[in-house]
Amino acid sequence: MRAKAKLYPKEAARLLREKPGVREAVTGATLHFERNRLRAYGEVSIGAWRERAKAVKDHVLSHLDHYLELAERRLRENGVQVHWAETLEDAHRVLREVVQRHGVRRAVKAKSMLTEELGVNPLLESLGVEVYETDLGEYLIQLLGEPPSHIVGPAIHLSLEEIQRLFHERFGTPLDAPPEALAQVARKVLREAFLTAELGISGANFLVAETGTLALMENEGNIRLSTSLPKVHVAFVGIEKLLPRFQDLALFLPLTARAATGQRLATFVSLIQGPAREGEEGPEEVHVVLVDNGRTALLADPEAWETLRCLRCGACLNACPVYRQTGGHPYGYVYSGPIGAVLDPGLLSLEEAYPLPYASSLCGACLEACPVLIPIPKLLLTWRHRAVAEGLTPSWEKAAMKAFRKVMESPALYRLFSKALRGLPLPQDLLPLLRAWTEGRGPLKPSPKPFHELWKEVERGG
Amino acid sequence: MEARTRILARVRRALKERPKALLPEHPHTPLAEDPVDLLLRRLEENGAEAMKLPREEAKAFAQRLAEGLPGATFGKTLPQDLRPPLPELPPEEAPLGVSWALFAVAETGSVALSSEEGRRVHLLPPTHLVFVEAGRVYGSLLEALQDLQSLPSALGLHSGPSKSADIGQVMVKGVHGPGRLIVAVLL
């Protein structure tokens, strides 16, 4: 996927002006996720769980070469074909080869952020493969030709009415068809795809090094079907997805479920060991593609490497008051919200992801939510410091900050400016800096009295 | 092999100065109640139907469930006596799948289904009846995973009916997998 992160603030403002329904849908859905997460965290010793999960991930990441080699060995012993992809092009080569060797005409896909990152769907389409996203939310946005808006709920920005209209146009269902009826229509289309596809594509939540086990979580059953029915299964796995021991799944599967949706465990967990054995049904071939695509660079970053602990649960998105206003689309890359704001500059480059570290009020809700304690607020500041050091911030901002500092250091100057700003009838819509605010909002109304005068009154009164 | 060499070299370079973090142990937390009772409660909370009953009654239950159905599909390891007397249909046509779980986990409300049983039987029919022996119900997921001696080509943990809230945040059952999961624990 090509990053369009540069347009972030403009796209966010445009979305809020032109599609106010998105804010309502995203806020509703994320608050629902957030309530469930809080309840689920409250049921267990969540502090100890998170510390332990962080420790396991830090262990894996600090021994990553060892665990990658161990995982590769175990996967091969299990009959899995292992590929390494340093770049997007490497990953494409592996997939193209599989498609051509098996004459694949139709593929079913489980929801996976990494395959979004790698642009798997456009590649398959260019090879003449009919590709079906099988997660219901992913299927909806595939029909609309949109990227996912959320890591866990890709279609949370769509209202029921929009989906009813989409299905009416595509499948002729009534405009007021209830969600159950729409789901049945999708089930029918996708069931046919499951039964006829030659290739199943997935990501992985975890790859256990000790046993070579792929672990995948879901609620619909589409991942189980995508990895069971077609004769070939290709799993794309980021190199940071490793866990050392099989027993670590006993922490990470429930922790991820609680963080993501507030469940004790995802409704379906697939623990995949390899291709079907003698006399069994299941895929004849299983391929695992270990993907770097920027991850080793992030690992080498002395400050930002902690981002690689991420489980892709989406909890920080649900907790974020900034993300909630727009959903993921304006961020312009696969990973949005707080984690996107610190992961995207690491995976792409700061220049390409530039304004994203500013898409936060630094309130810290993301850190409160994170199941593996990624210090997102601190990392947002790290990336902002770097943006200033690399000269990415606009020159007016530097001048403004300099002037701001002068004013803030002198009480006399501060009073003068504060008085001037309150007293002058500002032509707000003419000032370029203020126009970004006044577009779509009412004019700024300064308080008649400055804070320090109000405070004096309070002190005198009290 | 080139990508592999380059990735591993970059990982090693990245980790050269990085302190090595220790791997923690996972503590066992003993259950305060009977694992079978907890399993049943959790399954129900997850939207499944769950019961414990003696084997004879379980057979009768399966027969009642099968009444009026044109056929069913069965897991390969399902004991013969638990098969309701129905013609065997291909899984994609069967209204009912009946299978035999490897084990169950009480704390999460899950049954574990092995690929040695088949896979379609667990996924394609709209209703899925699973039998599990009371002696194979673990208290915690940690106990269950540590106790596993060998792994099948695919192990599925099923904790409730297939569901999705992707359409307007309304919970819908039976999206791809079975919309009805019934678990019978054999005493």
Side-chain angles (χ1 to χ4, degrees):
Chain A
M1 179 178 170
R2 278 206 69 77
K4 291 180 207 130
K6 275 205 162 67
L7 301 173
Y8 172 75
K10 277 208 168 67
E11 284 300 305
R14 196 178 58 79
L15 183 82
L16 283 167
R17 279 199 312 276
E18 293 174 10
K19 291 185 176 175
V22 168
R23 178 198 272 186
E24 198 182 325
V26 173
T27 302
T30 50
L31 287 177
H32 180 73
F33 279 136
E34 178 76 345
R35 273 193 299 274
N36 286 341
R37 178 186 66 78
L38 285 168
R39 182 189 34 71
Y41 271 17
E43 288 169 357
V44 296
S45 315
I46 197 66
W49 282 36
R50 293 162 84 194
E51 286 292 347
R52 197 147 30 91
K54 170 184 183 293
V56 172
K57 275 286 186 178
D58 285 353
H59 173 82
V60 175
L61 291 170
S62 65
H63 299 80
L64 193 57
D65 49 339
H66 164 73
Y67 284 115
L68 280 168
E69 287 182 314
L70 179 60
E72 180 190 39
R73 203 157 58 237
R74 291 290 183 261
L75 285 163
R76 291 225 162 102
E77 286 165 9
N78 296 342
V80 175
Q81 303 184 37
V82 183
H83 312 266
W84 297 72
E86 193 179 14
T87 59
L88 194 138
E89 289 76 23
D90 288 346
H92 285 193
R93 203 172 310 125
V94 173
L95 189 56
R96 195 179 299 122
E97 203 269 321
V98 168
V99 163
Q100 285 165 353
R101 192 156 45 83
H102 290 276
V104 173
R105 312 278 304 270
R106 186 172 281 180
V108 281
K109 240 185 107 255
K111 200 182 94 58
S112 139
M113 296 310 281
L114 178 54
T115 58
E116 294 285 339
E117 186 185 320
L118 298 172
V120 161
N121 288 9
L123 172 75
L124 287 172
E125 281 155 19
S126 77
L127 295 171
V129 178
E130 201 182 358
V131 48
Y132 288 85
E133 287 289 352
T134 60
D135 171 85
L136 189 52
E138 280 286 340
Y139 180 62
L140 296 175
I141 58 172
Q142 188 186 26
L143 290 177
L144 287 168
E146 291 182 3
S149 180
H150 186 283
I151 295 177
V152 171
I156 59 164
H157 58 295
L158 299 176
S159 66
L160 176 58
E161 292 71 31
E162 283 172 284
I163 300 166
Q164 284 168 326
R165 207 174 318 123
L166 170 69
F167 272 59
H168 174 70
E169 284 162 15
R170 285 290 177 123
F171 305 111
T173 50
L175 271 170
D176 60 351
E180 290 79 13
L182 302 179
Q184 283 311 311
V185 170
R187 176 186 165 104
K188 219 173 147 212
V189 174
L190 294 170
R191 177 57 67 91
E192 180 62 25
F194 283 126
L195 291 172
T196 52
E198 302 94 348
L199 172 65
I201 295 174
S202 76
N205 289 95
F206 307 102
L207 168 56
V208 179
E210 173 185 62
T211 52
T213 309
L214 289 168
L216 294 109
M217 306 169 41
E218 49 149 347
N219 284 323
E220 296 178 8
N222 62 305
I223 297 187
R224 294 228 62 207
L225 287 161
S226 299
T227 60
S228 289
L229 267 46
K231 65 178 181 187
V232 184
H233 170 207
V234 178
F236 291 93
V237 185
I239 56 169
E240 82 283 20
K241 290 281 168 189
L242 287 173
L243 289 180
R245 303 163 297 194
F246 192 65
Q247 56 162 294
D248 292 317
L249 291 170
L251 171 64
F252 281 89
L253 292 171
L255 177 63
T256 311
R258 282 177 191 268
T261 53
Q263 291 168 287
R264 293 193 179 96
L265 197 65
T267 303
F268 298 100
V269 172
S270 300
L271 302 176
I272 295 169
Q273 209 55 28
R277 292 171 196 164
E278 190 80 27
E280 272 183 15
E281 52 173 297
E284 294 159 22
E285 270 183 33
V286 177
H287 298 258
V288 165
V289 189
L290 297 167
V291 181
D292 179 346
N293 203 33
R295 285 158 178 77
T296 48
L298 192 49
L299 185 68
D301 189 312
E303 290 165 290
W305 68 270
E306 288 188 83
T307 320
L308 290 173
R309 283 203 295 268
C310 178
L311 307 177
R312 309 285 191 269
C313 69
C316 62
L317 278 60
N318 303 329
C320 180
V322 175
Y323 171 87
R324 249 181 234 154
Q325 307 307 311
T326 62
H329 287 167
Y331 291 76
Y333 193 56
V334 193
Y335 308 105
S336 61
I339 191 63
V342 294
L343 187 59
D344 298 349
L347 289 181
L348 303 162
S349 67
L350 180 54
E351 201 184 349
E352 220 176 329
Y354 159 64
L356 294 188
Y358 291 82
S360 164
S361 64
L362 299 175
C363 72
C366 45
L367 176 58
E368 295 284 311
C370 180
V372 285
L373 303 167
I374 298 171
I376 298 176
K378 190 191 88 182
L379 293 170
L380 287 164
L381 288 175
T382 301
W383 288 113
R384 289 183 190 184
H385 290 153
R386 291 178 185 177
V388 174
E390 288 178 26
L392 291 171
T393 50
S395 52
W396 63 258
E397 187 184 293
K398 271 175 234 156
M401 289 315 275
K402 226 177 230 168
F404 182 67
R405 181 176 174 167
K406 274 258 173 322
V407 172
M408 292 305 281
E409 278 175 350
S410 150
L413 269 179
Y414 178 83
R415 288 205 175 93
L416 186 71
F417 268 86
S418 144
K419 198 165 189 177
L421 281 172
R422 273 179 292 113
L424 292 173
L426 285 173
Q428 290 186 4
D429 46 345
L430 293 181
L431 293 172
L433 265 180
L434 285 177
R435 206 159 45 208
W437 175 270
T438 53
E439 252 180 7
R441 293 186 185 88
L444 293 163
K445 275 190 215 141
S447 155
K449 279 184 192 173
F451 178 77
H452 59 259
E453 272 176 38
L454 289 170
W455 185 246
K456 264 186 199 148
E457 283 171 28
V458 169
E459 277 192 321
R460 251 174 293 173
Chain B
M1 272 339 231
E2 253 181 76
R4 177 187 191 276
T5 316
R6 280 200 299 271
I7 291 172
L8 286 171
R10 278 223 296 274
V11 168
R12 292 196 180 104
R13 212 158 41 236
L15 297 177
K16 225 165 165 189
E17 314 268 294
R18 191 75 40 83
K20 302 280 180 218
L22 290 175
L23 186 58
E25 291 302 315
H26 300 295
H28 281 274
T29 34
L31 283 190
E33 67 175 295
D34 176 50
V36 171
D37 290 338
L38 180 61
L39 173 71
L40 300 185
R41 203 169 72 240
R42 288 285 152 88
L43 275 164
E44 275 169 14
E45 287 166 2
N46 296 346
E49 296 154 61
M51 66 200 82
K52 56 175 180 181
L53 64 193
R55 193 156 181 140
E56 281 310 311
E57 282 178 39
K59 280 187 224 170
F61 173 79
Q63 282 182 18
R64 275 202 307 281
L65 188 70
E67 251 168 53
L69 297 180
T73 180
F74 308 107
K76 273 195 200 166
T77 56
L78 179 72
Q80 200 62 36
D81 66 312
L82 291 167
R83 271 192 182 208
L86 283 176
E88 188 155 359
L89 288 175
E92 50 272 34
E93 291 167 28
L96 172 69
V98 187
S99 63
W100 180 251
L102 210 53
F103 61 87
V105 181
E107 66 172 358
T108 53
S110 317
V111 285
L113 300 156
S114 164
S115 51
E116 284 165 13
E117 266 246 307
R119 298 175 186 231
R120 293 171 185 236
V121 54
H122 304 146
L123 297 165
L124 295 179
T127 300
H128 185 196
L129 169 63
V130 183
F131 291 107
V132 62
E133 288 174 309
R136 298 292 297 157
V137 179
Y138 290 95
S140 72
L141 186 58
L142 183 59
E143 277 169 29
L145 297 186
Q146 283 183 332
D147 211 33
L148 262 179
Q149 297 301 320
S150 65
L151 289 159
S153 62
L155 186 69
L157 300 174
H158 291 206
S159 304
S162 155
K163 60 178 186 175
S164 171
D166 284 339
I167 298 182
Q169 300 306 304
V170 183
M171 191 59 76
V172 173
K173 281 186 183 178
V175 179
H176 291 298
R180 197 172 165 207
L181 173 68
I182 310 165
V183 176
V185 181
L186 304 175
L187 296 171

